[in-house]
Structure formats: C-alpha cells, structure tokens
Amino acid sequence: AQSVAQPEDQVNVAEGNPLTVKCTYSVSGNPYLFWYVQYPNRGLQFLLKYITGDNLVKGSYGFEAEFNKSQTSFHLKKPSALVSDSALYFCAVIGDTGRRALTFGSGTRLQVQP
Amino acid sequence: DTGVSQDPRHKITKRGQNVTFRCDPISEHNRLYWYRQTLGQGPEFLTYFQNEAQLEKSRLLSDRFSAERPKGSFSTLEIQRTEQGDSAMYLCASSRGTSGGAGNEQFFGPGTRLTVL
C-alpha cells in the first residue's frame, strides 16, 4: 500500500525567510515523488518531481525538494519565501510497482506573512 | 497545450438524482484519471484509463459510480442516486503513457464541485 504523511497542517513563515514543507512516504518498490500546489478556486498545479538521480530536484517558481531514501522523506524547500507562495501544498507518491495513480498527503497550508 | 478541461464547474443536485461530469484531457495524453477531493483533504483516486481501457478502480468507486472513455479521448463520470456524502470536488487529470510512465506528471483540470442537497 502507498501512503503519504504531511505532518504539518499549516506552516507560517515571514517573507524573505526560507521555508520547508515536510513530507514522508511509504511505498512498495522505488518511489516516484511529486509536489503539487493548489491556489483557491484553481486546480492542482505540478511543481516538481523526483524519479531517479540527483536527490535535490528543482522545480517551478524557485521551489526545490530533497529526496532522502533512508528517511523516506521528500521535503519541499524554497530559499526565500514570497507572499504569493501562500497556498495549499500536496505531496504525492507512486511506487514503480503496482498502481499507477497518485496517493496524496492531506496537504499543508503555507502562509507567508509580509 | 490547452490544459485539462472539466464541465460543469459546479453542480447542485438533490439527493437521489443522477449527475454526469465530463473531462477533456490534454490531447496527446493517453492516460486519464479521476480523483475526489473533500474539504481539508488531499485528492483520493477513483479510477484510471489508458486509452479507452479502464485499468484500475478504487474501492471508493461504489456501484453507483461509473466512468467511461469511449474513444480514448474525453471521459465521463456518472453518479447515480446521489447521496449527500457524494458532495466533493471531482478532479480529472491526464498524463503521457509511456513504458515506465508512472513517473510522468499528471496535469489536473479545475474540477467539478458537486453539492448534493
């Protein structure tokens, strides 16, 4: 079975400060990991993914994520937060065996204060 | 790339009525997914097509739910005898289907918000 945990319902950070949104996963086989962002009244937008290779992956809008196999984590990071980054962030996983659909975490609301 | 589109964007219905939603995927994508999202939760998988073949269904997809993708392009999701618990956002996504393509990102539509009174 696949599962994703996002332990923080909300993360608050001041504009200009670095941000981290945490994600841990459980999956059979090797993981394919994704981050999506959801703005109010809009669909989910793809940010970045890890398939294989370099553990640090870079994505849209200056976001990056670090894959850690031993800790089964895939935390989302950004060196300097913007107010416009305030949104709902979802981590998702697919294993390379079995089902072909994403399993999502429950989401973390990021609030960036000016 | 015109994106994934869904119709309608909002649907209000009375308990016991049938509803049907439509999804038009990105044209070159042969995989299509349906998810359901309730307030405060992440999307939950419902079903998945590769071309016109429905390859996987979640246990969430009760016998009141049926999905089709008759020509491998657009898809419909029908809910019969709706219940208040069916109220949710129904999301459609599409992706390229290649060998080992589980790593291809899924692109999501704006969703159809269903309210069952």
Side-chain angles (χ1 to χ4, degrees):
Chain A
Q2 301 176 166
S3 66
V4 174
Q6 293 183 242
E8 302 153 318
D9 289 337
Q10 182 156 324
V11 169
N12 298 307
V13 64
E15 188 174 30
N17 283 359
L19 69 88
T20 298
V21 182
K22 295 179 180 178
C23 169
T24 58
Y25 67 90
S26 174
V27 70
S28 299
N30 294 312
Y32 299 147
L33 292 152
F34 302 81
W35 277 99
Y36 284 84
V37 59
Q38 189 171 39
Y39 295 98
N41 301 314
R42 294 175 66 178
L44 288 160
Q45 295 179 32
F46 168 75
L47 274 181
L48 52 79
K49 68 179 180 182
Y50 171 82
I51 303 301
T52 187
D54 194 346
N55 289 342
L56 185 66
V57 294
K58 296 185 182 298
S60 307
Y61 312 119
F63 284 93
E64 57 190 28
E66 186 168 11
F67 171 65
N68 187 316
K69 187 172 183 178
S70 63
Q71 296 185 4
T72 61
S73 67
F74 189 56
H75 301 330
L76 181 69
K77 300 180 180 183
K78 188 173 183 181
S80 179
L82 299 172
V83 172
S84 58
D85 293 331
S86 299
L88 191 54
Y89 290 80
F90 290 97
C91 181
V93 69
I94 294 179
D96 66 353
T97 60
R99 74 182 321 183
R100 285 293 174 258
L102 291 165
T103 296
F104 284 86
S106 56
T108 298
R109 184 164 300 281
L110 174 66
Q111 194 70 41
V112 182
Q113 284 115 10
Chain B
D1 180 354
T2 58
V4 178
S5 61
Q6 293 187 245
D7 184 70
R9 295 290 303 274
H10 304 273
K11 178 70 176 179
I12 300 174
T13 191
K14 293 182 178 179
R15 185 164 50 101
Q17 298 295 304
N18 298 344
V19 295
T20 299
F21 309 142
R22 177 180 170 123
C23 170
D24 287 87
I26 294 170
S27 58
E28 63 267 28
H29 288 179
N30 63 351
R31 290 184 178 175
L32 186 147
Y33 308 79
W34 285 99
Y35 294 84
R36 180 171 69 186
Q37 185 178 22
T38 53
L39 201 61
Q41 298 297 318
E44 296 174 296
F45 168 70
L46 292 178
T47 190
Y48 148 59
F49 291 85
Q50 178 149 327
N51 300 313
E52 66 277 8
Q54 189 173 18
L55 296 186
E56 190 175 348
K57 293 193 289 186
S58 163
R59 58 182 172 80
L60 293 176
L61 211 67
S62 76
D63 57 5
R64 297 186 297 106
F65 288 69
S66 62
E68 294 183 340
R69 194 182 183 198
K71 297 183 180 179
S73 57
F74 74 92
S75 175
T76 58
L77 177 68
E78 181 183 16
I79 308 174
Q80 296 182 328
R81 305 180 303 280
T82 52
E83 301 172 357
Q84 288 184 326
D86 297 332
S87 295
M89 178 76 84
Y90 289 84
L91 298 169
C92 177
S94 69
S95 72
R96 298 178 190 277
T98 56
S99 176
N104 293 331
E105 56 268 33
Q106 296 177 24
F107 292 87
F108 283 79
T112 295
R113 183 170 295 284
L114 173 66
T115 302
V116 182
L117 301 175

